[in-house]
Amino acid sequence: MTVAVIGGGAAGFFAALSVKEHHPGASVVILEKSNEVLCKVKISGGGRCNVTNGERSVRELAKAYPRGGNSLKKAFGVFGTGDTVEWFTRRGVPLVVQADNCVFPVSQKSQSIIDCFLNQARACGIEVRRNRAVCALKNSGDVWTVQYAGDTEATDSFDRVIVATGGCPKLSGFDWLIRLGHSIENPVPSLFTFSIPDEGLRSLQGIVVEKVLGALVSTALQAEGTLLITHWGVSGPVVLRLSSYGARYLHDRGYDVRLRINWTGIRDNDVIAADLIDAAREHRGKLLAGYRPFQLSDRLWRYLIGKTGLSLTKKWGELGKKDIQKMASVLSNDEYPVDGKAAFKDEFVTCGGVSLKDINMTTMQSRVCPGLYFAGEVLDIDGITGGYNFQAAWTTGYVAGKLL
Ligand SMILES: Cc1cc2nc3c(=O)[nH]c(=O)nc-3n(C[C@H](O)[C@H](O)[C@H](O)COP(=O)(O)OP(=O)(O)OC[C@H]3O[C@@H](n4cnc5c(N)ncnc54)[C@H](O)[C@@H]3O)c2cc1C
């Protein structure tokens, strides 16, 4: 059996290695359009590569994928996060689980992952051909013919093909797959930060709040996590999650939405009000400036008090019912206009890609073109931050390589 894997990224390498593991007699070639392979692995996780997540439950894992999670459940059963840890450990790359459940190489270097793939590929005879941009695929009988961009003469033929070309921000990048009959979910960005033109908020840049609740006003989209105030607006896991959950909605609205921040991290407004009443009782002699509830930083607390219209020199014991309500409202319903997205430097994925309706998710084989398989971000699958995107690449690559 001859197998072409198109794309020398995370999914492509994992798929190629899976083919050799399960079909040792197969001849496997990786066709990569640039002269470098595994570029995204190199820069991933700030150069450390967040390989996977510590979450082992398939049900919980699926929730981390705003698109594709449910469809991946079966494949996670074949190759899940625990299998990833074992796979790398067995091949000499021990991994470590951080407190936030993100999993990194013990070396803290993405190069360890790259070296592992290159060594494994060399050891099992996988050929890597660089500068081979595939622009068309043709099928006749059981044979797939690959055509290369810029070289209309050159073609190669294979028994099976795995497409692992990654995400593409433009629909036109999928033309060659559309010509084969696949439908494409429109690609739009996911995992970005929000630009907020509010000077007051921006003046708080550098402040990190451990646990806030973020929501997009007029939607059911909400997320929980750490928030970082930046010179352009807001960033941090809670914002990236919201951008991922709301990727399509935000795109359709031209990123012109309102963000609601609950600075307390507490969902129940009655609990927030009760906590404030307790604080007023316990710290009745202190000025508002002198006691900060919910462990808010001094700068943030002063800013929020400013928004309530209350004086920082007022005493907690002097607060009336209305004052407490005002405070609770600013703390839990603080709204800001978002006027655009800002690229997040550490992680960025495209949502959209080959529609999962066209894929048998048990085998990763195309329903439209038998003999053609898919793996990685080229599919309409994307996860929130935390190692989930690589896990999808490993899982789909493993399954495609095993079951072709
Ligand atoms: C800055 C950054 C940091 C990230 N950090 C993390 C992280 O820490 N953890 C995590 O889980 N995810 C992370 N991600 C997301 C993760 O990198 C991707 O989800 C993952 O790389 C997808 O793997 P892939 O193999 O499907 O696609 P890619 O890695 O994009 O690989 C696709 C390959 O196919 C090649 N190719 C494309 N078209 C063709 C063609 N026509 N012919 C031949 N070759 C072609 C490309 O050149 C590329 O080498 C990060 C992403 C970015 C951008």
Side-chain angles (χ1 to χ4, degrees):
M1 176 165 66
T2 55
V3 181
V5 177
I6 307 176
F13 266 82
F14 218 75
L17 290 167
S18 175
V19 175
K20 287 301 278 184
E21 180 183 339
H22 299 99
H23 313 274
S27 146
V28 183
V29 177
I30 294 177
L31 304 169
E32 166 56 46
K33 78 170 173 192
S34 71
N35 61 1
E36 278 287 345
V37 292
L38 299 162
C39 288
K40 277 200 192 167
V41 173
K42 178 79 182 161
I43 55 170
S44 66
R48 297 194 299 139
C49 186
N50 184 182
V51 184
T52 184
N53 193 274
E55 178 60 63
R56 297 283 169 109
S57 146
V58 167
R59 211 166 52 148
E60 290 306 310
L61 197 58
K63 288 183 191 162
Y65 297 84
R67 287 145 295 267
N70 277 334
S71 310
L72 273 175
K73 278 182 181 165
K74 231 183 204 166
F76 281 145
V78 178
F79 195 89
T81 51
D83 301 302
T84 299
V85 174
E86 198 185 316
W87 195 96
F88 282 104
T89 308
R90 277 194 179 190
R91 287 159 181 83
V93 187
L95 305 177
V96 59
V97 189
Q98 288 188 169
D100 61 1
N101 244 1
C102 292
V103 180
F104 288 87
V106 168
S107 68
Q108 300 289 319
K109 289 190 181 107
S110 56
Q111 192 61 42
S112 310
I113 304 294
I114 296 174
D115 292 344
C116 171
F117 283 158
L118 293 178
N119 290 336
Q120 292 289 318
R122 205 173 300 123
C124 62
I126 293 169
E127 188 189 344
V128 182
R129 294 186 197 155
R130 293 169 173 82
N131 302 308
R132 291 282 208 288
V134 173
C135 66
L137 274 177
K138 281 192 185 127
N139 179 237
S140 58
D142 286 341
V143 178
W144 283 95
T145 305
V146 171
Q147 250 173 30
Y148 302 104
D151 192 347
T152 44
E153 301 295 305
T155 59
D156 286 305
S157 296
F158 303 90
D159 299 320
R160 301 272 191 280
V161 173
I162 302 176
V163 178
T165 46
C168 179
K170 286 192 188 142
L171 189 60
S172 59
F174 295 93
D175 279 351
W176 61 295
L177 297 172
I178 296 171
R179 283 200 293 276
L180 289 169
H182 297 95
S183 35
I184 307 296
E185 298 296 337
N186 199 23
V188 303
S190 178
L191 296 180
F192 45 84
T193 63
F194 294 167
S195 164
I196 293 181
D198 185 296
E199 288 306 323
L201 185 75
R202 286 182 180 189
S203 72
L204 300 173
Q205 70 167 286
I207 287 181
V208 176
V209 188
E210 283 299 326
K211 190 182 158 198
V212 308
L213 302 174
L216 296 180
V217 174
S218 306
T219 75
L221 298 164
Q222 44 181 288
E224 183 181 312
T226 302
L227 180 106
L228 167 67
I229 304 174
T230 66
H231 64 276
W232 68 84
V234 286
S235 169
V238 66
V239 178
L240 294 174
R241 269 173 213 154
L242 264 182
S243 79
S244 176
Y245 298 144
R248 286 210 178 280
Y249 172 80
L250 286 156
H251 176 263
D252 293 349
R253 298 288 304 258
Y255 305 96
D256 180 8
V257 295
R258 288 185 74 79
L259 171 70
R260 185 167 55 238
I261 303 173
N262 176 337
W263 299 100
T264 69
I266 298 168
R267 279 176 202 281
D268 190 336
N269 282 356
D270 291 344
V271 173
I272 297 170
D275 282 358
L276 290 173
I277 291 166
D278 285 351
R281 216 175 284 133
E282 226 172 284
H283 303 279
R284 52 185 314 104
K286 286 187 187 160
L287 303 179
L288 291 187
Y291 173 74
R292 308 187 307 267
F294 308 109
Q295 296 173 328
L296 296 171
S297 71
D298 187 48
R299 265 202 305 155
L300 177 59
W301 174 237
R302 283 171 182 269
Y303 165 77
L304 292 173
I305 284 297
K307 289 188 99 175
T308 63
L310 294 166
S311 164
L312 280 162
T313 55
K314 191 166 185 158
K315 286 189 175 153
W316 274 93
E318 293 164 2
L319 294 179
K321 221 177 178 183
K322 277 199 175 146
D323 297 331
I324 295 282
Q325 269 167 8
K326 226 185 283 171
M327 214 184 248
S329 165
V330 168
L331 284 168
S332 64
N333 272 312
D334 198 17
E335 281 190 25
Y336 297 92
V338 174
D339 69 350
K341 67 179 168 60
F344 182 63
K345 289 193 181 68
D346 287 328
E347 187 158 338
F348 183 89
V349 297
T350 313
C351 99
V354 174
S355 169
L356 302 188
K357 285 185 226 132
D358 290 345
I359 307 294
N360 174 343
M361 291 299 289
T362 308
T363 59
M364 301 301 149
Q365 183 168 201
S366 165
R367 292 187 194 280
V368 184
C369 303
L372 188 64
Y373 294 75
F374 286 87
E377 215 181 297
V378 67
L379 292 164
D380 181 27
I381 294 173
D382 64 281
I384 58 175
T385 52
Y388 301 106
N389 285 299
F390 277 138
Q391 184 57 50
W394 316 140
T395 297
T396 52
Y398 184 90
V399 170
K402 180 178 179 183
L403 298 175
L404 50 59

